[in-house]
Amino acid sequence: MRIATWNVNSLKARQDALEKWLKRADPDVLLMQETKLSDADAPLMWFQMAGYELVHHGEGRWNGVAIASRIGADDIVTNFGDGPVRDSSPGATGLDEDDFNPFDEARMLSAVCGGIRLVCLYAPNGRVVGSPFYDGKLQWFERLRRWLDETRSPDEPLILAGDYNVTPADEDVWDPVKAHGGTHVSEPERAALARLRDWGLADGYRIANPDAKGHFSWWDYRAGMFHRNEGMRIDLLYASLPVAKRIAWSEIDREARKGGVTTPPVPSDHAPVVLDLDERGKAFDAGWEGALARIASRTRPSGKRSPAQVRYEEEREERNKAGS
């Protein structure tokens, strides 16, 4: 079984890319985030023609999650079972993008596919550490953990996949010094991820690739960050033990992030992440080997420590002392 997750950053804008990628990677189930569609506008027929059943949980202009499955989708849960979310469709009034309530947004969708409970997640971004958006992000992760405690078991086949908007560790960031102090790398966010692992989940990509370095799933559109590989690994598939034992292979498809190759000229800023269970699925070249070699050849490491590096290392040493 091949399961994949992809923040498509607008399902409507990425439909051509999806058509190509579904043929390229041949997933049995694809979990999508940031569809930016209402349920009424979800392309059910388009996916049906491609051989997939589509389950969509959206609100309109923002957010939105979906599961496309060719192995069934049953026992649907949306929004942690807490009821309907807001309507942010173009015709809705009284809403602004800065009106933030993560519990009234389309960020969680779950279904049983092929005997596995799949949970599609789009975590809040957080914007700025210490802001109301950041506090809401941490509260949303608390709700996710409470949902696990109240409704799920670590002994059941379970995968929580999607855009977590958090890096698990420093090796999942292009430069932890430059990223230090921002969202996606802060200690409270990483502690929220750790609480999911403590519940009984494991990082599927790291099980298959424990030593991978420089492999990321998101790069900002700005300033050539993708071509310099200045990214983060924030798109994750967290699996319970019954599923983790079945993991055969996992990869981040860097090629799908490139414009004009496997995608239209403007791709999503995320790459899809693939997880194979029991045996490896259809082969494809994710493009990492050649890309990392090219980037290394034009990068000259500096022997000097910047002030930011010194501060980062001092703070890390203090945290290590506090934890020992």
Side-chain angles (χ1 to χ4, degrees):
M1 183 189 302
R2 170 164 286 180
I3 300 165
T5 182
W6 193 1
N7 180 324
V8 293
N9 192 10
S10 175
L11 181 52
K12 183 177 181 180
R14 237 56 75 185
Q15 217 159 296
D16 288 344
L18 267 173
E19 182 176 8
K20 296 174 184 177
W21 193 79
L22 289 174
K23 294 176 181 177
R24 165 182 164 81
D26 198 30
D28 294 297
V29 186
L30 174 62
L31 291 80
M32 292 166 282
Q33 303 84 44
E34 271 200 284
T35 62
K36 298 181 179 178
L37 292 173
S38 67
D39 290 341
D41 292 330
L44 304 182
M45 184 64 70
W46 186 90
F47 275 95
Q48 185 177 349
M49 294 293 290
Y52 292 86
E53 174 184 356
L54 182 70
V55 182
H56 188 271
H57 174 50
E59 58 179 83
R61 287 171 286 179
W62 308 303
N63 308 309
V65 283
I67 298 174
S69 173
R70 61 186 185 194
I71 53 175
D74 303 304
D75 195 11
I76 310 300
V77 179
T78 62
N79 194 32
F80 304 112
D82 292 340
V85 298
R86 68 186 186 181
D87 177 11
S88 69
S89 58
T93 58
L95 270 182
D96 185 85
E97 193 169 5
D98 286 336
D99 293 330
F100 175 66
N101 177 359
F103 307 110
D104 194 28
E105 299 173 352
R107 296 184 175 276
M108 181 271 188
L109 169 65
S110 177
V112 175
C113 304
I116 300 175
R117 165 67 65 180
L118 299 178
V119 186
C120 183
L121 301 171
Y122 176 44
N125 179 280
R127 295 198 183 182
V128 178
V129 173
S131 71
F133 299 95
Y134 180 82
D135 295 340
K137 178 179 188 175
L138 297 179
Q139 293 166 14
W140 185 87
F141 272 105
E142 290 174 3
R143 180 66 185 96
L144 172 59
R145 171 60 198 259
R146 192 167 78 251
W147 181 76
L148 290 173
D149 290 335
E150 294 173 352
T151 69
R152 310 265 51 97
S153 166
D155 298 324
E156 71 175 303
L158 175 69
I159 294 178
L160 275 63
D163 177 2
Y164 282 69
N165 269 316
V166 184
T167 56
D170 278 355
E171 56 261 36
D172 300 306
V173 186
W174 90 96
D175 188 331
V177 174
K178 292 181 179 178
H180 184 57
T183 57
H184 299 55
V185 300
S186 72
E187 288 302 315
E189 291 169 290
R190 287 181 173 174
L193 275 188
R195 284 192 287 274
L196 298 181
R197 297 193 296 271
D198 292 342
W199 182 84
L201 300 173
D203 187 335
Y205 178 80
R206 281 294 173 213
I207 290 174
N209 305 277
D211 302 318
K213 295 181 180 179
H215 288 210
F216 308 124
S217 64
W218 171 84
W219 301 259
D220 200 314
Y221 285 125
R222 299 173 295 179
M225 294 184 74
F226 174 67
H227 298 288
R228 295 195 303 274
N229 201 35
E230 296 179 358
M232 297 183 179
R233 190 174 71 91
I234 59 177
D235 300 272
L236 313 171
L237 294 103
Y238 271 17
S240 63
L241 181 59
V243 177
K245 293 189 294 186
R246 298 171 56 189
I247 292 174
W249 186 76
S250 183
E251 188 55 280
I252 303 167
D253 189 3
R254 183 184 183 277
E255 287 292 306
R257 173 60 174 79
K258 293 165 65 175
V261 180
T262 58
T263 65
V266 181
S268 169
D269 48 354
H270 294 252
V273 186
V274 171
L275 185 73
D276 287 347
L277 303 181
D278 303 323
E279 61 183 6
R280 182 167 174 176
K282 183 179 180 180
F284 63 86
D285 179 11
W288 284 106
E289 185 175 351
L292 293 180
R294 290 191 301 272
I295 292 165
S297 68
R298 61 177 182 256
T299 303
R300 296 181 179 179
S302 172
K304 296 181 179 180
R305 292 195 307 164
S306 67
Q309 172 119 27
V310 172
R311 289 195 304 272
Y312 169 76
E313 291 177 355
E314 288 175 347
E315 291 182 18
R316 185 174 61 178
E317 185 176 349
E318 289 299 319
R319 288 199 303 271
N320 291 338
K321 288 180 180 178
S324 62

